[in-house]
Every structure is written in C-alpha cells, then in structure tokens.
Amino acid sequence: MTVIGDAMNALESQIAVVTGAARGAGEAIARRLASMGAHVLLVARSVDQLHRVGEDIVRSGGAASVFPCDLTNAAAVAELGETITKEHKRCDILVNNAAVGLEGKFLHDITPEEWDVIFDTNVRGPYLMIRALAPLMIAARSGHIINISSLAGRNPLPKGAAYAASKWGLNGLTYSVAEELRQYNVRVSAVAPGSINTDFADHSGRGAASGKDPKKKLQPEDIATVVATLVTQPPQCFISEVLMRPTQKP
C-alpha cells in the first residue's frame, strides 16, 4: 500500500494518543506515528509494557510519553484528558485501539459481568476518550479520531455475540460522531480488520488454539500502515471506513 505522506516528520509537532499501546496493533500504531514525527502518548493499563514501548521509541529517535490508565474508569479517563490538556494543550490524533474479547461462549453462557467488561472497554472506553479529548480538536478546528473496530462488527459471529455487538456499537458511534464533528474539520474513521497475528483471541474466540496460520493473518504493522494513511489524507476529504482482510485465508 502506498501511504500518503508517510515519511519522517510528516506529523512533526503533532500529539497522537494511542490506547492499548502496550502491545499488538496499538504498539505498532504508536511506533509508526512516532516514526512520522508525532509525539505519541501511550495509554494502557500495563505499566511495565508501556514503559518498554516508550523507551524503545525514544531510543529510536522518536518522542513518547507514558500514561497508564484504566479506560473503564470514567474519573481516570477524565483526569487523563485534563493532564493532556495541561501538559500538551492539544490532541491532533486519537486512536482508540484498546479492546477485549472473550473465549468462545454462547451468549446465554456469558455472565452480566463479562458482558460489562467487553462493553466498558470496547464501546464506553472510546466514548470516554472522545469526551475527554474531542474538545481540544474542536478548539483547534482540526484532528483525527480513529476507532479500531473489527470485521466482527459487520458479520455474524457465533460464540462471539457480545464481542460482535460491541464492535457493531463502536461502528455506530464512529459514524455518528463523524457527522457531529466534521463541521469542526475533525475526521472520524473506523478501521475494521479481520484476524490479526497478536495474542488477542481471533474471531472464533479461540486465539492460537484455532489452528489458523499466523503468517497468513494480518500483522500489527498492517493496521499501522492504514492508520498512517488516514492521518495523512488531503484536507478536503476523509476515509470513513477501512475493511481489512488477509490476502489468503489463514
């Protein structure tokens, strides 16, 4: 894929916030944005992993700061937004990547507590992050919000109904917020990948045990490449949705 403007310093002086940045696609996205000149704010619960990623980015010549945060905690996310506003005074890019799945279960076997964890992370988390940081973009009349969804948000997913429902919900949130914010020149997009080669369970909910060939899955860097494209679009347009599938079925 040819990435528009994906080069050193294409995002110079920009602030990019990436959730779920401690591993997998979030880590790859953070590294890519840092390589393009953005100061990346790494958000996740895994403190040690966050520091590892941040230190690697800095050693590579990039700029990164670590912000441990539980995205299911409304007060913690509000405090995070206040800290970013105070310390950086801007947010040019927000990538809502953090998500959780669930080992394959029929819907009637899922407890209300398990349901709440999935929706609190996959839908409420992005809402809280947008609530905290969109005002900075509105004030600047500029910004990108990218929600990492899933092909499960467009297709039936047996033994994954709660996860699929959360991603359908995230899609609805994304498209609606895009209409709310476009008047402020803030572009909101959804990226919907299929199976990614990470430690996150695949769409069957069975993770590595599914027997899928990891080499045929999408790689975390593939998601990062699409995000790089979205944040370097010409100013007169925006891509509202990207569907990603492996070339060969794993």
Side-chain angles (χ1 to χ4, degrees):
M1 177 182 290
T2 300
V3 181
I4 303 170
D6 183 11
M8 183 70 71
N9 300 325
L11 302 177
E12 185 176 7
S13 79
Q14 294 195 27
I15 298 296
V17 179
V18 181
T19 71
R23 58 176 62 87
E27 177 181 348
I29 291 166
R31 290 179 182 275
R32 177 64 66 89
L33 297 180
S35 75
M36 297 168 68
H39 184 156
V40 181
L41 310 187
L42 310 172
V43 180
R45 287 181 295 185
S46 305
V47 178
D48 292 342
Q49 285 288 96
L50 275 185
H51 281 290
R52 175 188 62 81
V53 175
E55 290 166 3
D56 284 351
I57 288 174
V58 172
R59 276 196 296 268
S60 299
S65 299
V66 170
F67 290 88
C69 183
D70 179 358
L71 298 178
T72 67
N73 184 320
V77 175
E79 183 178 353
L80 172 66
E82 292 169 1
T83 300
I84 291 172
T85 300
K86 180 179 179 180
E87 294 184 3
H88 299 281
K89 299 179 175 58
R90 62 187 296 169
C91 177
D92 302 282
I93 299 165
L94 168 61
V95 182
N96 286 309
N97 166 77
V100 296
L102 184 68
E103 285 296 312
K105 284 187 177 182
F106 290 115
L107 182 64
H108 61 268
D109 291 326
I110 293 174
T111 67
E113 292 76 19
E114 290 171 328
W115 173 277
D116 287 345
V117 168
I118 292 171
F119 271 78
D120 282 352
T121 305
N122 298 1
V123 184
R124 190 167 180 262
Y127 147 68
L128 291 173
M129 290 297 295
I130 291 170
R131 182 173 183 267
L133 297 175
L136 289 172
M137 297 182 178
I138 292 171
R141 294 299 192 271
S142 177
H144 296 268
I145 298 172
I146 299 170
N147 294 328
I148 306 301
S149 184
S150 169
L151 291 181
R154 298 177 60 87
N155 304 300
L157 186 62
K159 291 192 174 182
Y163 177 76
S166 73
K167 292 301 187 178
W168 281 77
L170 180 61
N171 288 346
L173 181 152
T174 302
Y175 309 142
S176 299
V177 172
E179 291 303 310
E180 293 178 359
L181 297 183
R182 64 192 303 178
Q183 63 183 307
Y184 304 108
N185 201 36
V186 177
R187 298 184 280 194
V188 186
S189 306
V191 177
S195 297
I196 307 173
N197 184 25
T198 68
D199 56 3
F200 189 82
D202 66 21
H203 293 163
S204 69
R206 294 172 292 179
S210 67
K212 291 187 176 183
D213 184 349
K215 294 180 181 178
K216 292 183 179 179
K217 291 184 178 184
L218 296 169
Q219 303 301 312
E221 292 74 18
D222 299 330
I223 317 305
T225 295
V226 170
V227 171
T229 300
L230 294 176
V231 299
T232 53
Q233 297 167 78
Q236 73 275 11
C237 68
F238 80 99
I239 299 170
S240 61
E241 179 184 48
V242 178
L243 309 182
M244 301 181 66
R245 293 179 173 86
T247 302
Q248 298 181 25
K249 289 187 177 182

